Amino acid sequence: MISYENVILIIIATALVSAIISGMYYARRTHRKVSYILDALEDKETNFRFDEKKFLYRRFNKTLNRIRLIFEKEKQEINEQERYYGQMLDRVKTGIVVVELNEKFSGKVSYCNAAALNILGVATLSNIRQLANISLEIQECFENISEANNEMRVSFYNEKGQTTLSVSSSETSLQEKNVKIIVINDISNEMSRNEEMSWNKLIRVLTHEIMNTVTPIASLSHTLYMELDSTPDTQALNRKELKIGLDTISESAKGLIKFVDTYRSLTRISAPVKKAFYLKELIDRVTQLTKEQVHNSGAEITYTEKSDDILLYADIDQISQVFINLIKNAIQAKAKTIEITAEIDFNETVVICVSNNGRPINKENYDDIFVPFYTTKQEGTGVGLSLSRQIMRLHNGNISLVCSNEKNTIFKLQFK
């Protein structure tokens, strides 16, 4: 027969064993939950919630849920910051490309802002090997650029015409990865402006020196010619030869003065008198002014406006001169079709393309056609396109050659 004391001992022992078993079970469940939440947070997963109604685990589950909420809030704040900085980088005009560095350089691009895509003329960029489709020089530049290079410059052609880039880089670590941050800037306008200023200085010096030399010669030769013409005929033969020589000097000097005066116009463009007008009005005006030349050449001008009611704020006379130069060049290239198209792009820039199906420009001459004095035509002066570029600069715009082949030659005008 079991005594009362033994029963009490059995009950206490059973209770202790039960408590130990329950404690072990609770500890295992607790450990499993902690492990689960740590694995989930490590994978950045917050789509979980523990039941807070059960009495035994209520306080512990509530604590775990609180940890989840804190982590989720922190994750949202980080995502908002990333979106903010991403939007900020997409607003800057400087192109930024982040390339991953590893033992075997793969060229993988981990980030590329909108400015870089726009400058390079691509829709997406996931690897710098894609740049070979634009230019091998750009691909090599992106591969070889380093902090030691300080800055590299590279030029390429695309649908926008010639683009010159300034490229620099720095290296750092990001999320335990070594990366190269490549910064690119389009310096085409700056290069053109510097080139233009250099040519203008040269032209001023040349015209000053030539005019100072040629004007007295022209005046003196004309005076001697008039005196010989009024002198008695004592030495007819000698006087006749001298007269012919002086006449030649006079005509040559006048031709040289006219020649110099033509180029002087490059440095004497007046400040534009701007006003608002519809682009169609300008095209109608240019078409009327060139009507006879176009008709005599057998050519035809068409105009297509892809955006409604395009307005320009510019000097209508100066911009008309730009279009007239382009149309004259097309006629001289034996073009039969001259097409003008205009639109307003997503940057609110007025973009006008003037294309013709005349003789193409040799590719080796692309870099020279906007240089003053340069011409490939016997009757050309080499002033038209250079003058057109200066006019566009004065309007905070740009003119560029997009392409020239057997099919067509396209010039692009941009008014920002």
Side-chain angles (χ1 to χ4, degrees), residues 6 23 112 116 165 174 192 254 271 378:
N6 291 334
C112 182
L165 301 182
L174 182 64
S192 298
K254 288 177 182 177
Q378 290 183 350

Side-chain angles (χ1 to χ4, degrees), residues 222-399:
H222 180 70
T223 300
L224 290 174
Y225 174 78
M226 296 302 295
E227 288 182 0
L228 283 172
D229 197 39
S230 60
T231 302
D233 189 9
T234 56
Q235 294 179 336
L237 182 61
N238 292 337
R239 286 171 47 229
K240 181 179 180 181
E241 291 176 354
L242 185 58
K243 185 176 181 179
I244 293 172
L246 290 173
D247 185 40
T248 302
I249 292 173
S250 179
E251 291 301 317
S252 299
K254 288 177 182 177
L256 185 56
I257 291 173
K258 183 179 179 181
F259 173 82
V260 172
D261 196 51
T262 300
Y263 288 109
R264 181 186 283 174
S265 63
L266 286 172
T267 61
R268 291 189 175 180
I269 303 175
S270 58
V273 180
K274 298 180 180 180
K275 65 176 183 178
F277 57 87
Y278 286 105
L279 180 58
K280 192 176 186 308
E281 295 177 10
L282 171 67
I283 301 301
D284 290 341
R285 175 178 178 174
V286 170
T287 303
Q288 189 62 34
L289 290 172
T290 58
K291 182 178 180 180
E292 184 176 350
Q293 289 175 293
V294 172
H295 176 74
N296 292 338
S297 67
E300 181 183 4
I301 298 178
T302 61
Y303 173 59
T304 303
E305 201 166 84
K306 297 180 180 179
S307 303
D308 296 331
D309 299 329
I310 299 177
L311 273 170
L312 285 181
Y313 183 69
D315 187 317
I316 191 168
D317 292 325
Q318 291 186 356
I319 302 302
S320 295
Q321 188 175 354
V322 174
F323 280 93
I324 291 171
N325 283 335
L326 292 175
I327 292 171
K328 284 182 177 180
N329 287 346
I331 292 172
Q332 291 173 353
K334 307 298 181 184
K336 297 303 177 185
T337 302
I338 302 170
E339 297 179 352
I340 304 173
T341 60
E343 63 180 334
I344 301 175
D345 67 10
F346 65 93
N347 288 324
E348 296 298 318
T349 299
V350 176
V351 180
I352 306 169
C353 290
V354 182
S355 66
N356 71 80
N357 62 349
R359 290 192 306 268
I361 300 169
N362 292 331
K363 195 168 184 178
E364 56 268 23
N365 297 331
Y366 280 14
D367 295 335
D368 300 320
I369 59 173
F370 290 102
V371 175
F373 313 123
Y374 182 84
T375 181
T376 58
K377 298 172 288 189
Q378 290 183 350
E379 69 277 17
T381 61
V383 172
L385 287 176
S386 177
L387 190 64
S388 297
R389 171 166 280 183
Q390 289 195 55
I391 291 172
M392 292 299 294
R393 296 285 185 222
L394 290 173
H395 287 80
N396 195 31
N398 186 38
I399 179 173

Side-chain angles (χ1 to χ4, degrees), residues 115-305:
L117 296 176
N118 185 49
I119 292 171
L120 295 171
V122 295
T124 59
L125 185 64
S126 58
N127 195 293
I128 60 174
R129 285 196 295 268
Q130 294 173 240
L131 298 176
N133 298 325
I134 304 172
S135 167
L136 286 173
E137 288 78 6
I138 294 183
Q139 181 189 355
E140 292 174 359
C141 177
F142 274 49
E143 289 176 347
N144 299 326
I145 187 70
S146 64
E147 290 179 302
N149 297 127
N150 193 12
E151 181 191 33
M152 296 177 67
R153 293 188 178 185
V154 60
S155 297
F156 65 97
Y157 282 93
N158 58 13
E159 66 277 1
K160 299 178 182 178
Q162 185 186 24
T163 301
T164 302
L165 301 182
S166 169
V167 185
S168 59
S169 76
S170 60
E171 296 180 8
T172 186
S173 295
L174 182 64
Q175 295 179 345
E176 299 182 353
K177 292 182 180 179
N178 293 326
V179 296
K180 177 164 64 173
I181 302 173
I182 301 174
V183 178
I184 58 176
N185 286 288
D186 185 350
I187 58 172
S188 303
N189 290 341
E190 181 184 344
M191 295 287 288
S192 298
R193 190 174 294 108
N194 290 339
E195 178 184 292
E196 184 179 293
M197 290 176 62
S198 298
W199 277 110
N200 282 341
K201 290 178 181 178
L202 176 60
I203 292 170
R204 289 191 184 100
V205 173
L206 287 174
T207 53
H208 176 75
E209 294 299 328
I210 294 174
M211 291 297 288
N212 283 350
T213 303
V214 173
T215 302
I217 294 176
S219 176
L220 178 60
S221 60
H222 180 70
T223 300
L224 290 174
Y225 174 78
M226 296 302 295
E227 288 182 0
L228 283 172
D229 197 39
S230 60
T231 302
D233 189 9
T234 56
Q235 294 179 336
L237 182 61
N238 292 337
R239 286 171 47 229
K240 181 179 180 181
E241 291 176 354
L242 185 58
K243 185 176 181 179
I244 293 172
L246 290 173
D247 185 40
T248 302
I249 292 173
S250 179
E251 291 301 317
S252 299
K254 288 177 182 177
L256 185 56
I257 291 173
K258 183 179 179 181
F259 173 82
V260 172
D261 196 51
T262 300
Y263 288 109
R264 181 186 283 174
S265 63
L266 286 172
T267 61
R268 291 189 175 180
I269 303 175
S270 58
V273 180
K274 298 180 180 180
K275 65 176 183 178
F277 57 87
Y278 286 105
L279 180 58
K280 192 176 186 308
E281 295 177 10
L282 171 67
I283 301 301
D284 290 341
R285 175 178 178 174
V286 170
T287 303
Q288 189 62 34
L289 290 172
T290 58
K291 182 178 180 180
E292 184 176 350
Q293 289 175 293
V294 172
H295 176 74
N296 292 338
S297 67
E300 181 183 4
I301 298 178
T302 61
Y303 173 59
T304 303
E305 201 166 84

Side-chain angles (χ1 to χ4, degrees), residues 17-43:
V17 171
S18 178
I20 291 170
I21 293 172
S22 297
M24 292 175 63
Y25 178 74
Y26 181 83
R28 283 199 301 270
R29 288 290 303 270
T30 302
H31 181 267
R32 192 159 51 244
K33 288 181 180 180
V34 172
S35 296
Y36 172 80
I37 193 173
L38 290 175
D39 290 340
L41 295 180
E42 190 174 30
D43 293 335

